[in-house]
Amino acid sequence: MLYFSDSSMTEQKMNIDHLVFAAHDLEAGVAWMEQQLGMPPAAYGQHALMGTHNALWSLGSCYLEVIAIQPGVSVPRARWFGLDTSDIQQRLTRGVQFLTWQVRVTDVEACAKASAHDLGQPLRVTRDDLHWRLTVRADGTMPGDGAIPVHLEWGQGVPTPETTLRDDGLRLSALTVGTAGIGAALTELGVAHLVTTDAETTDLSAVIQTATGPVTLRSD
């Protein structure tokens, strides 16, 4: 899986790191996702920098998170995934939302500099014994309203979630990204081969194989 850029960059390995779902309330979001997947989360976490907390499910080679603003916690910057915006807050009143997806890269700084799209600047984040850098816009909004993926680089030697989470047999079998409004952005970023694209919509959808059969999760 390669990322092709201008001559100032070397080729990079890329793959799907995880899918990002959000909820107005984490407990309610976890209950909904557990009902869809038939499995409780494998882990929970908190992000002091962003004032958010999450729950994680292994998908084998990648994973899925449900994230929410942590009640009573304020932060001096805009939260990621547009969680502070009125648009996302309004969506969350309708239930759990499929907000975006993340790709794992080997040099997030190079990706951000080489991209013709405003991915945001690499930001270092820590949680427990994990640390990583990912692209975040200063205002917290998502490029392509979530269709353009967040670019993430894990710290060297970090035991990444898909290797440490309990494996309950859930698997990502398909990820479809609606590209209406973003044109050839995914091709230009070198990530179009990781997903199925649909130029007629702006929706995200993922098919997860569960113990009782495939489940389709869509953006609302």
Side-chain angles (χ1 to χ4, degrees):
M1 300 175 184
L2 301 177
Y3 176 100
F4 297 96
S5 63
D6 60 31
S7 58
S8 67
M9 281 181 59
T10 58
E11 294 179 350
Q12 292 201 53
K13 286 185 177 180
M14 279 193 166
N15 53 27
I16 296 172
D17 188 82
H18 69 280
L19 312 181
V20 180
F21 292 78
H24 179 70
D25 171 79
L26 185 60
E27 184 176 356
V30 166
W32 182 87
M33 189 62 74
E34 184 173 340
Q35 183 178 42
Q36 306 308 305
L37 302 179
M39 291 291 176
Y44 289 86
Q46 298 180 3
H47 316 100
L49 180 65
M50 292 291 175
T52 54
H53 53 170
N54 67 355
L56 308 177
W57 285 257
S58 171
L59 298 178
S61 62
C62 57
Y63 62 101
L64 177 156
E65 76 168 325
V66 173
I67 194 167
I69 292 175
Q70 199 165 1
V73 176
S74 61
V75 290
R77 57 155 296 138
R79 292 178 174 88
W80 45 21
F81 314 128
L83 290 174
D84 291 317
T85 66
S86 59
D87 175 61
I88 297 299
Q89 285 297 308
Q90 178 60 35
R91 286 177 61 186
L92 295 181
T93 64
R94 303 196 297 268
V96 176
Q97 298 293 312
F98 189 177
L99 293 188
T100 191
W101 56 300
Q102 299 204 20
V103 294
R104 185 178 306 183
V105 302
T106 52
D107 189 340
V108 69
E109 190 82 39
C111 289
K113 287 181 178 178
S115 175
H117 308 278
D118 179 15
L119 302 179
Q121 293 302 307
L123 183 69
R124 189 175 189 273
V125 181
T126 63
R127 177 173 69 79
D128 302 324
D129 59 346
L130 301 176
H131 61 93
W132 64 97
R133 298 174 72 213
L134 78 168
T135 51
V136 182
R137 287 175 166 180
D139 64 0
T141 60
M142 298 176 291
D145 292 327
I148 294 176
V150 174
H151 287 53
L152 179 151
E153 175 189 347
W154 286 99
Q156 188 170 3
V158 168
T160 52
E162 86 286 351
T163 66
T164 60
L165 290 172
R166 184 187 69 241
D167 187 351
D168 292 314
L170 303 171
R171 294 293 183 267
L172 174 65
S173 62
L175 174 60
T176 300
V177 179
T179 58
I182 64 170
L186 301 189
T187 298
E188 293 163 2
L189 289 166
V191 299
H193 67 291
L194 299 176
V195 299
T196 299
T197 59
D198 184 349
E200 301 301 318
T201 182
T202 59
D203 296 337
L204 294 170
S205 67
V207 179
I208 311 296
Q209 293 294 335
T210 75
T212 57
V215 171
T216 300
L217 304 175
R218 302 182 183 277
S219 57
D220 181 5

PDB file of all heavy atoms in Angstrom, residues 51-86:
ATOM      1  N   GLY A  51     -10.036  16.487  25.699  1.00  0.00           N
ATOM      2  CA  GLY A  51     -11.209  16.413  26.559  1.00  0.00           C
ATOM      3  C   GLY A  51     -12.237  15.428  26.049  1.00  0.00           C
ATOM      4  O   GLY A  51     -13.447  15.657  26.150  1.00  0.00           O
ATOM      5  N   THR A  52     -11.758  14.297  25.506  1.00  0.00           N
ATOM      6  CA  THR A  52     -12.655  13.269  24.980  1.00  0.00           C
ATOM      7  C   THR A  52     -12.331  11.918  25.608  1.00  0.00           C
ATOM      8  O   THR A  52     -11.251  11.720  26.166  1.00  0.00           O
ATOM      9  CB  THR A  52     -12.536  13.159  23.448  1.00  0.00           C
ATOM     10  OG1 THR A  52     -11.164  12.950  23.077  1.00  0.00           O
ATOM     11  CG2 THR A  52     -13.048  14.415  22.760  1.00  0.00           C
ATOM     12  N   HIS A  53     -13.259  10.997  25.505  1.00  0.00           N
ATOM     13  CA  HIS A  53     -13.007   9.617  25.917  1.00  0.00           C
ATOM     14  C   HIS A  53     -13.636   8.703  24.883  1.00  0.00           C
ATOM     15  O   HIS A  53     -14.523   9.112  24.119  1.00  0.00           O
ATOM     16  CB  HIS A  53     -13.487   9.335  27.336  1.00  0.00           C
ATOM     17  CG  HIS A  53     -14.918   9.682  27.623  1.00  0.00           C
ATOM     18  ND1 HIS A  53     -15.558   9.298  28.787  1.00  0.00           N
ATOM     19  CD2 HIS A  53     -15.864  10.372  26.919  1.00  0.00           C
ATOM     20  CE1 HIS A  53     -16.793   9.734  28.796  1.00  0.00           C
ATOM     21  NE2 HIS A  53     -17.018  10.377  27.667  1.00  0.00           N
ATOM     22  N   ASN A  54     -13.177   7.435  24.860  1.00  0.00           N
ATOM     23  CA  ASN A  54     -13.637   6.550  23.791  1.00  0.00           C
ATOM     24  C   ASN A  54     -13.701   5.096  24.243  1.00  0.00           C
ATOM     25  O   ASN A  54     -13.240   4.733  25.328  1.00  0.00           O
ATOM     26  CB  ASN A  54     -12.760   6.690  22.540  1.00  0.00           C
ATOM     27  CG  ASN A  54     -11.335   6.198  22.733  1.00  0.00           C
ATOM     28  OD1 ASN A  54     -10.920   5.821  23.834  1.00  0.00           O
ATOM     29  ND2 ASN A  54     -10.561   6.192  21.662  1.00  0.00           N
ATOM     30  N   ALA A  55     -14.281   4.295  23.373  1.00  0.00           N
ATOM     31  CA  ALA A  55     -14.326   2.842  23.525  1.00  0.00           C
ATOM     32  C   ALA A  55     -13.870   2.238  22.207  1.00  0.00           C
ATOM     33  O   ALA A  55     -14.139   2.791  21.135  1.00  0.00           O
ATOM     34  CB  ALA A  55     -15.731   2.373  23.872  1.00  0.00           C
ATOM     35  N   LEU A  56     -13.175   1.082  22.280  1.00  0.00           N
ATOM     36  CA  LEU A  56     -12.557   0.491  21.096  1.00  0.00           C
ATOM     37  C   LEU A  56     -13.003  -0.948  20.885  1.00  0.00           C
ATOM     38  O   LEU A  56     -13.175  -1.708  21.842  1.00  0.00           O
ATOM     39  CB  LEU A  56     -11.026   0.511  21.230  1.00  0.00           C
ATOM     40  CG  LEU A  56     -10.348   1.837  21.566  1.00  0.00           C
ATOM     41  CD1 LEU A  56      -8.843   1.627  21.721  1.00  0.00           C
ATOM     42  CD2 LEU A  56     -10.635   2.884  20.513  1.00  0.00           C
ATOM     43  N   TRP A  57     -13.152  -1.321  19.603  1.00  0.00           N
ATOM     44  CA  TRP A  57     -13.427  -2.693  19.186  1.00  0.00           C
ATOM     45  C   TRP A  57     -12.392  -3.100  18.150  1.00  0.00           C
ATOM     46  O   TRP A  57     -12.120  -2.334  17.208  1.00  0.00           O
ATOM     47  CB  TRP A  57     -14.803  -2.823  18.538  1.00  0.00           C
ATOM     48  CG  TRP A  57     -15.980  -2.785  19.437  1.00  0.00           C
ATOM     49  CD1 TRP A  57     -16.737  -3.852  19.859  1.00  0.00           C
ATOM     50  CD2 TRP A  57     -16.615  -1.624  20.006  1.00  0.00           C
ATOM     51  NE1 TRP A  57     -17.770  -3.434  20.655  1.00  0.00           N
ATOM     52  CE2 TRP A  57     -17.728  -2.071  20.766  1.00  0.00           C
ATOM     53  CE3 TRP A  57     -16.333  -0.248  19.955  1.00  0.00           C
ATOM     54  CZ2 TRP A  57     -18.560  -1.186  21.455  1.00  0.00           C
ATOM     55  CZ3 TRP A  57     -17.156   0.622  20.644  1.00  0.00           C
ATOM     56  CH2 TRP A  57     -18.254   0.154  21.390  1.00  0.00           C
ATOM     57  N   SER A  58     -11.814  -4.272  18.282  1.00  0.00           N
ATOM     58  CA  SER A  58     -10.881  -4.774  17.281  1.00  0.00           C
ATOM     59  C   SER A  58     -11.642  -5.211  16.037  1.00  0.00           C
ATOM     60  O   SER A  58     -12.705  -5.831  16.117  1.00  0.00           O
ATOM     61  CB  SER A  58     -10.100  -5.971  17.838  1.00  0.00           C
ATOM     62  OG  SER A  58      -9.344  -6.579  16.807  1.00  0.00           O
ATOM     63  N   LEU A  59     -11.062  -4.889  14.868  1.00  0.00           N
ATOM     64  CA  LEU A  59     -11.571  -5.383  13.591  1.00  0.00           C
ATOM     65  C   LEU A  59     -10.505  -6.233  12.900  1.00  0.00           C
ATOM     66  O   LEU A  59     -10.485  -6.366  11.681  1.00  0.00           O
ATOM     67  CB  LEU A  59     -11.988  -4.215  12.692  1.00  0.00           C
ATOM     68  CG  LEU A  59     -13.114  -3.319  13.219  1.00  0.00           C
ATOM     69  CD1 LEU A  59     -13.388  -2.186  12.246  1.00  0.00           C
ATOM     70  CD2 LEU A  59     -14.389  -4.126  13.486  1.00  0.00           C
ATOM     71  N   GLY A  60      -9.618  -6.801  13.688  1.00  0.00           N
ATOM     72  CA  GLY A  60      -8.560  -7.635  13.141  1.00  0.00           C
ATOM     73  C   GLY A  60      -7.348  -6.824  12.752  1.00  0.00           C
ATOM     74  O   GLY A  60      -6.481  -6.549  13.574  1.00  0.00           O
ATOM     75  N   SER A  61      -7.286  -6.391  11.507  1.00  0.00           N
ATOM     76  CA  SER A  61      -6.135  -5.622  11.025  1.00  0.00           C
ATOM     77  C   SER A  61      -6.283  -4.129  11.299  1.00  0.00           C
ATOM     78  O   SER A  61      -5.355  -3.349  11.056  1.00  0.00           O
ATOM     79  CB  SER A  61      -5.943  -5.835   9.521  1.00  0.00           C
ATOM     80  OG  SER A  61      -7.077  -5.373   8.809  1.00  0.00           O
ATOM     81  N   CYS A  62      -7.450  -3.718  11.783  1.00  0.00           N
ATOM     82  CA  CYS A  62      -7.681  -2.322  12.156  1.00  0.00           C
ATOM     83  C   CYS A  62      -8.666  -2.327  13.325  1.00  0.00           C
ATOM     84  O   CYS A  62      -8.865  -3.365  13.956  1.00  0.00           O
ATOM     85  CB  CYS A  62      -8.207  -1.506  10.971  1.00  0.00           C
ATOM     86  SG  CYS A  62      -9.741  -2.141  10.238  1.00  0.00           S
ATOM     87  N   TYR A  63      -9.278  -1.197  13.644  1.00  0.00           N
ATOM     88  CA  TYR A  63     -10.198  -1.181  14.773  1.00  0.00           C
ATOM     89  C   TYR A  63     -11.241  -0.086  14.587  1.00  0.00           C
ATOM     90  O   TYR A  63     -11.226   0.667  13.597  1.00  0.00           O
ATOM     91  CB  TYR A  63      -9.456  -1.045  16.104  1.00  0.00           C
ATOM     92  CG  TYR A  63      -8.653   0.223  16.283  1.00  0.00           C
ATOM     93  CD1 TYR A  63      -9.144   1.276  17.050  1.00  0.00           C
ATOM     94  CD2 TYR A  63      -7.396   0.369  15.710  1.00  0.00           C
ATOM     95  CE1 TYR A  63      -8.415   2.440  17.234  1.00  0.00           C
ATOM     96  CE2 TYR A  63      -6.651   1.520  15.888  1.00  0.00           C
ATOM     97  CZ  TYR A  63      -7.170   2.555  16.644  1.00  0.00           C
ATOM     98  OH  TYR A  63      -6.446   3.711  16.813  1.00  0.00           O
ATOM     99  N   LEU A  64     -12.138   0.001  15.519  1.00  0.00           N
ATOM    100  CA  LEU A  64     -13.251   0.951  15.481  1.00  0.00           C
ATOM    101  C   LEU A  64     -13.338   1.635  16.831  1.00  0.00           C
ATOM    102  O   LEU A  64     -13.145   0.996  17.863  1.00  0.00           O
ATOM    103  CB  LEU A  64     -14.536   0.173  15.167  1.00  0.00           C
ATOM    104  CG  LEU A  64     -15.891   0.862  15.134  1.00  0.00           C
ATOM    105  CD1 LEU A  64     -16.850   0.055  14.240  1.00  0.00           C
ATOM    106  CD2 LEU A  64     -16.511   0.986  16.536  1.00  0.00           C
ATOM    107  N   GLU A  65     -13.629   2.925  16.808  1.00  0.00           N
ATOM    108  CA  GLU A  65     -13.822   3.645  18.071  1.00  0.00           C
ATOM    109  C   GLU A  65     -15.141   4.386  18.083  1.00  0.00           C
ATOM    110  O   GLU A  65     -15.624   4.851  17.048  1.00  0.00           O
ATOM    111  CB  GLU A  65     -12.680   4.632  18.334  1.00  0.00           C
ATOM    112  CG  GLU A  65     -12.732   5.908  17.524  1.00  0.00           C
ATOM    113  CD  GLU A  65     -11.757   6.984  18.025  1.00  0.00           C
ATOM    114  OE1 GLU A  65     -11.533   7.086  19.247  1.00  0.00           O
ATOM    115  OE2 GLU A  65     -11.231   7.723  17.158  1.00  0.00           O
ATOM    116  N   VAL A  66     -15.733   4.468  19.266  1.00  0.00           N
ATOM    117  CA  VAL A  66     -16.819   5.399  19.539  1.00  0.00           C
ATOM    118  C   VAL A  66     -16.241   6.426  20.494  1.00  0.00           C
ATOM    119  O   VAL A  66     -15.687   6.072  21.543  1.00  0.00           O
ATOM    120  CB  VAL A  66     -18.035   4.697  20.170  1.00  0.00           C
ATOM    121  CG1 VAL A  66     -19.075   5.733  20.599  1.00  0.00           C
ATOM    122  CG2 VAL A  66     -18.655   3.716  19.189  1.00  0.00           C
ATOM    123  N   ILE A  67     -16.365   7.707  20.130  1.00  0.00           N
ATOM    124  CA  ILE A  67     -15.747   8.778  20.900  1.00  0.00           C
ATOM    125  C   ILE A  67     -16.804   9.791  21.306  1.00  0.00           C
ATOM    126  O   ILE A  67     -17.832   9.932  20.631  1.00  0.00           O
ATOM    127  CB  ILE A  67     -14.616   9.451  20.074  1.00  0.00           C
ATOM    128  CG1 ILE A  67     -13.737  10.336  20.956  1.00  0.00           C
ATOM    129  CG2 ILE A  67     -15.179  10.231  18.886  1.00  0.00           C
ATOM    130  CD1 ILE A  67     -12.449  10.775  20.279  1.00  0.00           C
ATOM    131  N   ALA A  68     -16.581  10.466  22.430  1.00  0.00           N
ATOM    132  CA  ALA A  68     -17.517  11.483  22.906  1.00  0.00           C
ATOM    133  C   ALA A  68     -16.763  12.516  23.718  1.00  0.00           C
ATOM    134  O   ALA A  68     -15.664  12.242  24.241  1.00  0.00           O
ATOM    135  CB  ALA A  68     -18.619  10.846  23.757  1.00  0.00           C
ATOM    136  N   ILE A  69     -17.335  13.686  23.816  1.00  0.00           N
ATOM    137  CA  ILE A  69     -16.777  14.712  24.698  1.00  0.00           C
ATOM    138  C   ILE A  69     -16.944  14.243  26.144  1.00  0.00           C
ATOM    139  O   ILE A  69     -18.011  13.749  26.531  1.00  0.00           O
ATOM    140  CB  ILE A  69     -17.495  16.056  24.482  1.00  0.00           C
ATOM    141  CG1 ILE A  69     -17.155  16.611  23.087  1.00  0.00           C
ATOM    142  CG2 ILE A  69     -17.108  17.060  25.566  1.00  0.00           C
ATOM    143  CD1 ILE A  69     -17.915  17.881  22.728  1.00  0.00           C
ATOM    144  N   GLN A  70     -15.890  14.397  26.920  1.00  0.00           N
ATOM    145  CA  GLN A  70     -15.929  13.978  28.325  1.00  0.00           C
ATOM    146  C   GLN A  70     -16.648  15.048  29.147  1.00  0.00           C
ATOM    147  O   GLN A  70     -16.244  16.216  29.149  1.00  0.00           O
ATOM    148  CB  GLN A  70     -14.502  13.770  28.841  1.00  0.00           C
ATOM    149  CG  GLN A  70     -14.411  12.940  30.086  1.00  0.00           C
ATOM    150  CD  GLN A  70     -12.990  12.472  30.353  1.00  0.00           C
ATOM    151  OE1 GLN A  70     -12.067  12.780  29.610  1.00  0.00           O
ATOM    152  NE2 GLN A  70     -12.827  11.733  31.420  1.00  0.00           N
ATOM    153  N   PRO A  71     -17.729  14.705  29.825  1.00  0.00           N
ATOM    154  CA  PRO A  71     -18.510  15.701  30.566  1.00  0.00           C
ATOM    155  C   PRO A  71     -17.668  16.449  31.596  1.00  0.00           C
ATOM    156  O   PRO A  71     -16.849  15.851  32.300  1.00  0.00           O
ATOM    157  CB  PRO A  71     -19.587  14.851  31.265  1.00  0.00           C
ATOM    158  CG  PRO A  71     -19.710  13.632  30.425  1.00  0.00           C
ATOM    159  CD  PRO A  71     -18.319  13.355  29.921  1.00  0.00           C
ATOM    160  N   GLY A  72     -17.866  17.752  31.645  1.00  0.00           N
ATOM    161  CA  GLY A  72     -17.208  18.573  32.636  1.00  0.00           C
ATOM    162  C   GLY A  72     -15.748  18.877  32.361  1.00  0.00           C
ATOM    163  O   GLY A  72     -15.089  19.510  33.187  1.00  0.00           O
ATOM    164  N   VAL A  73     -15.221  18.446  31.216  1.00  0.00           N
ATOM    165  CA  VAL A  73     -13.811  18.672  30.888  1.00  0.00           C
ATOM    166  C   VAL A  73     -13.724  19.718  29.781  1.00  0.00           C
ATOM    167  O   VAL A  73     -14.296  19.546  28.704  1.00  0.00           O
ATOM    168  CB  VAL A  73     -13.132  17.368  30.421  1.00  0.00           C
ATOM    169  CG1 VAL A  73     -11.686  17.650  30.003  1.00  0.00           C
ATOM    170  CG2 VAL A  73     -13.172  16.325  31.523  1.00  0.00           C
ATOM    171  N   SER A  74     -13.036  20.812  30.063  1.00  0.00           N
ATOM    172  CA  SER A  74     -12.832  21.855  29.058  1.00  0.00           C
ATOM    173  C   SER A  74     -11.392  21.817  28.583  1.00  0.00           C
ATOM    174  O   SER A  74     -10.486  21.403  29.318  1.00  0.00           O
ATOM    175  CB  SER A  74     -13.161  23.235  29.637  1.00  0.00           C
ATOM    176  OG  SER A  74     -12.318  23.530  30.740  1.00  0.00           O
ATOM    177  N   VAL A  75     -11.173  22.230  27.368  1.00  0.00           N
ATOM    178  CA  VAL A  75      -9.835  22.260  26.788  1.00  0.00           C
ATOM    179  C   VAL A  75      -9.639  23.593  26.084  1.00  0.00           C
ATOM    180  O   VAL A  75     -10.603  24.231  25.642  1.00  0.00           O
ATOM    181  CB  VAL A  75      -9.618  21.093  25.800  1.00  0.00           C
ATOM    182  CG1 VAL A  75      -9.539  19.768  26.537  1.00  0.00           C
ATOM    183  CG2 VAL A  75     -10.702  21.050  24.741  1.00  0.00           C
ATOM    184  N   PRO A  76      -8.373  24.054  25.967  1.00  0.00           N
ATOM    185  CA  PRO A  76      -8.118  25.387  25.401  1.00  0.00           C
ATOM    186  C   PRO A  76      -8.084  25.440  23.886  1.00  0.00           C
ATOM    187  O   PRO A  76      -7.730  26.472  23.317  1.00  0.00           O
ATOM    188  CB  PRO A  76      -6.733  25.721  25.986  1.00  0.00           C
ATOM    189  CG  PRO A  76      -6.059  24.401  26.116  1.00  0.00           C
ATOM    190  CD  PRO A  76      -7.155  23.444  26.527  1.00  0.00           C
ATOM    191  N   ARG A  77      -8.466  24.356  23.227  1.00  0.00           N
ATOM    192  CA  ARG A  77      -8.434  24.337  21.769  1.00  0.00           C
ATOM    193  C   ARG A  77      -9.708  23.647  21.254  1.00  0.00           C
ATOM    194  O   ARG A  77     -10.448  23.017  22.027  1.00  0.00           O
ATOM    195  CB  ARG A  77      -7.207  23.586  21.258  1.00  0.00           C
ATOM    196  CG  ARG A  77      -7.067  22.147  21.741  1.00  0.00           C
ATOM    197  CD  ARG A  77      -6.237  21.334  20.760  1.00  0.00           C
ATOM    198  NE  ARG A  77      -6.896  21.241  19.468  1.00  0.00           N
ATOM    199  CZ  ARG A  77      -6.269  21.366  18.310  1.00  0.00           C
ATOM    200  NH1 ARG A  77      -4.973  21.564  18.268  1.00  0.00           N
ATOM    201  NH2 ARG A  77      -6.936  21.277  17.169  1.00  0.00           N
ATOM    202  N   ALA A  78      -9.935  23.772  19.952  1.00  0.00           N
ATOM    203  CA  ALA A  78     -11.067  23.079  19.342  1.00  0.00           C
ATOM    204  C   ALA A  78     -10.802  21.577  19.357  1.00  0.00           C
ATOM    205  O   ALA A  78      -9.698  21.124  19.059  1.00  0.00           O
ATOM    206  CB  ALA A  78     -11.271  23.569  17.912  1.00  0.00           C
ATOM    207  N   ARG A  79     -11.795  20.797  19.712  1.00  0.00           N
ATOM    208  CA  ARG A  79     -11.645  19.345  19.718  1.00  0.00           C
ATOM    209  C   ARG A  79     -11.613  18.799  18.296  1.00  0.00           C
ATOM    210  O   ARG A  79     -12.137  19.413  17.370  1.00  0.00           O
ATOM    211  CB  ARG A  79     -12.789  18.690  20.502  1.00  0.00           C
ATOM    212  CG  ARG A  79     -12.760  18.958  21.999  1.00  0.00           C
ATOM    213  CD  ARG A  79     -13.961  18.306  22.665  1.00  0.00           C
ATOM    214  NE  ARG A  79     -13.916  18.421  24.112  1.00  0.00           N
ATOM    215  CZ  ARG A  79     -14.411  19.462  24.796  1.00  0.00           C
ATOM    216  NH1 ARG A  79     -14.980  20.461  24.153  1.00  0.00           N
ATOM    217  NH2 ARG A  79     -14.347  19.486  26.122  1.00  0.00           N
ATOM    218  N   TRP A  80     -11.014  17.620  18.168  1.00  0.00           N
ATOM    219  CA  TRP A  80     -10.939  16.982  16.865  1.00  0.00           C
ATOM    220  C   TRP A  80     -12.301  16.495  16.394  1.00  0.00           C
ATOM    221  O   TRP A  80     -13.263  16.429  17.137  1.00  0.00           O
ATOM    222  CB  TRP A  80      -9.929  15.842  16.878  1.00  0.00           C
ATOM    223  CG  TRP A  80      -9.988  14.915  18.077  1.00  0.00           C
ATOM    224  CD1 TRP A  80     -11.034  14.702  18.934  1.00  0.00           C
ATOM    225  CD2 TRP A  80      -8.921  14.100  18.558  1.00  0.00           C
ATOM    226  NE1 TRP A  80     -10.689  13.806  19.913  1.00  0.00           N
ATOM    227  CE2 TRP A  80      -9.402  13.398  19.704  1.00  0.00           C
ATOM    228  CE3 TRP A  80      -7.613  13.850  18.121  1.00  0.00           C
ATOM    229  CZ2 TRP A  80      -8.617  12.501  20.417  1.00  0.00           C
ATOM    230  CZ3 TRP A  80      -6.840  12.960  18.826  1.00  0.00           C
ATOM    231  CH2 TRP A  80      -7.329  12.300  19.967  1.00  0.00           C
ATOM    232  N   PHE A  81     -12.358  16.135  15.097  1.00  0.00           N
ATOM    233  CA  PHE A  81     -13.542  15.584  14.435  1.00  0.00           C
ATOM    234  C   PHE A  81     -14.733  16.537  14.455  1.00  0.00           C
ATOM    235  O   PHE A  81     -15.877  16.120  14.291  1.00  0.00           O
ATOM    236  CB  PHE A  81     -13.949  14.235  15.045  1.00  0.00           C
ATOM    237  CG  PHE A  81     -12.795  13.290  15.239  1.00  0.00           C
ATOM    238  CD1 PHE A  81     -12.577  12.681  16.474  1.00  0.00           C
ATOM    239  CD2 PHE A  81     -11.907  13.018  14.201  1.00  0.00           C
ATOM    240  CE1 PHE A  81     -11.499  11.816  16.652  1.00  0.00           C
ATOM    241  CE2 PHE A  81     -10.838  12.160  14.379  1.00  0.00           C
ATOM    242  CZ  PHE A  81     -10.630  11.563  15.609  1.00  0.00           C
ATOM    243  N   GLY A  82     -14.462  17.828  14.667  1.00  0.00           N
ATOM    244  CA  GLY A  82     -15.538  18.815  14.658  1.00  0.00           C
ATOM    245  C   GLY A  82     -16.519  18.661  15.799  1.00  0.00           C
ATOM    246  O   GLY A  82     -17.655  19.147  15.720  1.00  0.00           O
ATOM    247  N   LEU A  83     -16.107  18.011  16.879  1.00  0.00           N
ATOM    248  CA  LEU A  83     -17.035  17.719  17.970  1.00  0.00           C
ATOM    249  C   LEU A  83     -17.609  18.968  18.631  1.00  0.00           C
ATOM    250  O   LEU A  83     -18.688  18.904  19.237  1.00  0.00           O
ATOM    251  CB  LEU A  83     -16.353  16.842  19.021  1.00  0.00           C
ATOM    252  CG  LEU A  83     -16.046  15.401  18.604  1.00  0.00           C
ATOM    253  CD1 LEU A  83     -15.244  14.688  19.694  1.00  0.00           C
ATOM    254  CD2 LEU A  83     -17.335  14.634  18.299  1.00  0.00           C
ATOM    255  N   ASP A  84     -16.912  20.098  18.514  1.00  0.00           N
ATOM    256  CA  ASP A  84     -17.423  21.335  19.117  1.00  0.00           C
ATOM    257  C   ASP A  84     -18.357  22.098  18.188  1.00  0.00           C
ATOM    258  O   ASP A  84     -18.990  23.065  18.616  1.00  0.00           O
ATOM    259  CB  ASP A  84     -16.250  22.262  19.494  1.00  0.00           C
ATOM    260  CG  ASP A  84     -15.429  21.725  20.644  1.00  0.00           C
ATOM    261  OD1 ASP A  84     -16.027  21.230  21.610  1.00  0.00           O
ATOM    262  OD2 ASP A  84     -14.188  21.803  20.580  1.00  0.00           O
ATOM    263  N   THR A  85     -18.441  21.702  16.933  1.00  0.00           N
ATOM    264  CA  THR A  85     -19.227  22.472  15.974  1.00  0.00           C
ATOM    265  C   THR A  85     -20.716  22.194  16.121  1.00  0.00           C
ATOM    266  O   THR A  85     -21.128  21.106  16.534  1.00  0.00           O
ATOM    267  CB  THR A  85     -18.792  22.163  14.532  1.00  0.00           C
ATOM    268  OG1 THR A  85     -19.116  20.803  14.212  1.00  0.00           O
ATOM    269  CG2 THR A  85     -17.301  22.392  14.341  1.00  0.00           C
ATOM    270  N   SER A  86     -21.526  23.187  15.756  1.00  0.00           N
ATOM    271  CA  SER A  86     -22.978  23.024  15.855  1.00  0.00           C
ATOM    272  C   SER A  86     -23.476  21.945  14.901  1.00  0.00           C
ATOM    273  O   SER A  86     -24.445  21.239  15.219  1.00  0.00           O
ATOM    274  CB  SER A  86     -23.669  24.351  15.566  1.00  0.00           C
ATOM    275  OG  SER A  86     -23.335  24.838  14.267  1.00  0.00           O
TER     276      SER A  86
END
